[in-house]
Amino acid sequence: MHPIEQLCFLFTIYSFLGWLCESIFCSFLFKKWTNRGFLNGPFCPVYGIGGLLITSALHPFTGYPLYIEIPLVFVAGTILTTVLEYMTGWLLETMFHTTWWDYSQNRFNYKGRICLLNSILFGLLCVITLLVLEPFLLHVLHAIPRFLRPWIFTAIVVYFLTDTLLTLRTILTLNGKLKQIQQLLDEFRATGTPLKAAHAALSDYLTDNPTVQSFRERLSRLERSTPSQRRLLRAFPTMKPLRNGEPFLWLQQEWQKRRSGKKKP
């Protein structure tokens, strides 16, 4: 098998397995099914990158007796994946001005981006991935018929490029919507109308105030969400924009009301 094909296939498998493990874990924490994917499909690319990084960087720690090999892989894997998670969190915050996860409530966390519990779990996953999963996956991949490999490779590349572009569009659209809502809220405040009192009237559509009515109409257009935007909010319930936090909270409240059926037509 060509090395590029092998890397692509392993990246896809690790991305899927990472999505599956994290979705199950978060579903248990939130007591409801949570599609924990950054992309629309069942994949978490950071796990794909992490899997490839683990299997390439940690091989020098293998080949020893198990009582030496397992602790070495665990410690090195814990350090490596912790750095990767921290850098991923920092990069996403820098690119999209949004905190996607927050471990501030966990003990022994650092800036909410990493925490001891997750680091230990990632270390255990490194041991399983390097010593058990990778040899099995390589055996399976080499059993794929040669003539099918280019087609599978092409399909994977096209899928990830498409899904990544769609996800980026969703995030940028959401950020733009938050900016517009913030501008609208600031404009509404400038009229001297108390926002808190107006919110109650807006929620029930019960007001004769023309300023509030105009505000309601313009805000309603901005409140409309797409399935992709709602999916992101459900996937990352601790998501917090570093900018435009007030309109984000507003949107969360409005979408939650509509989802629960409390909003009146």
Side-chain angles (χ1 to χ4, degrees):
M1 177 176 288
H2 194 280
I4 298 297
E5 292 178 342
Q6 180 171 301
L7 288 175
C8 178
F9 295 164
L10 287 175
F11 170 82
T12 303
I13 295 172
Y14 290 140
S15 296
F16 171 74
L17 293 177
W19 168 85
L20 183 63
C21 291
E22 183 151 341
S23 293
I24 292 174
F25 180 72
C26 290
S27 296
F28 174 77
L29 288 180
F30 302 137
K31 297 181 174 58
K32 62 179 180 179
W33 171 249
T34 303
N35 176 2
R36 191 65 171 181
F38 178 76
L39 301 179
N40 293 290
F43 300 99
C44 285
V46 66
Y47 284 95
I49 296 173
L52 296 180
L53 190 61
I54 289 167
T55 53
S56 59
L58 299 186
H59 267 296
F61 299 98
T62 62
Y64 300 95
L66 283 179
Y67 65 88
I68 297 178
E69 184 179 52
I70 291 177
L72 279 178
V73 171
F74 173 77
V75 172
T78 298
I79 296 173
L80 183 63
T81 52
T82 299
V83 171
L84 177 62
E85 184 177 34
Y86 182 87
M87 293 304 299
T88 301
W90 173 83
L91 184 62
L92 290 174
E93 290 175 16
T94 302
M95 291 177 59
F96 303 116
H97 310 294
T98 300
T99 299
W100 292 85
W101 60 83
D102 186 6
Y103 301 138
S104 298
Q105 302 302 318
N106 295 28
R107 297 183 63 187
F108 309 111
N109 76 86
Y110 181 67
K111 293 188 176 181
R113 294 176 186 153
I114 55 176
C115 68
L116 181 61
L117 175 61
N118 275 38
S119 296
I120 292 174
L121 292 176
F122 286 143
L124 293 174
L125 286 176
C126 288
V127 174
I128 296 172
T129 299
L130 191 60
L131 303 184
V132 179
L133 187 59
E134 186 196 23
F136 171 74
L137 291 179
L138 291 177
H139 176 74
V140 172
L141 291 179
H142 283 86
I144 299 175
R146 187 180 299 272
F147 75 93
L148 283 179
R149 295 172 187 172
W151 295 100
I152 298 175
F153 173 81
T154 301
I156 289 174
V157 171
V158 170
Y159 165 76
F160 273 105
L161 285 176
T162 302
D163 201 350
T164 299
L165 290 175
L166 289 174
T167 301
L168 289 176
R169 181 177 181 274
T170 296
I171 296 171
L172 293 176
T173 301
L174 179 59
N175 286 343
K177 180 180 295 188
L178 294 176
K179 183 177 180 180
Q180 292 181 64
I181 293 177
Q182 183 64 65
Q183 292 173 346
L184 186 56
L185 293 175
D186 293 340
E187 180 184 329
F188 186 74
R189 282 197 182 92
T191 66
T193 306
L195 186 61
K196 185 175 181 181
H199 186 276
L202 291 170
S203 298
D204 293 327
Y205 293 81
L206 299 176
T207 178
D208 295 325
N209 187 320
T211 301
V212 176
Q213 287 179 342
S214 174
F215 179 60
R216 170 75 267 173
E217 292 171 0
R218 296 166 63 188
L219 186 61
S220 292
R221 291 193 292 269
L222 292 173
E223 285 176 352
R224 293 170 188 158
S225 62
T226 65
S228 297
Q229 291 172 349
R230 293 192 297 269
R231 185 199 64 77
L232 274 178
L233 290 181
R234 290 194 297 267
F236 299 93
T238 59
M239 179 195 302
K240 296 178 182 177
L242 301 179
R243 303 175 182 175
N244 303 317
E246 183 183 17
F248 181 78
L249 180 60
W250 183 294
L251 275 183
Q252 278 186 319
Q253 293 172 345
E254 292 301 306
W255 291 352
Q256 183 61 35
K257 288 178 184 176
R258 296 180 184 186
R259 187 181 177 190
S260 61
K262 294 181 179 179
K263 187 119 181 167
K264 297 181 181 179

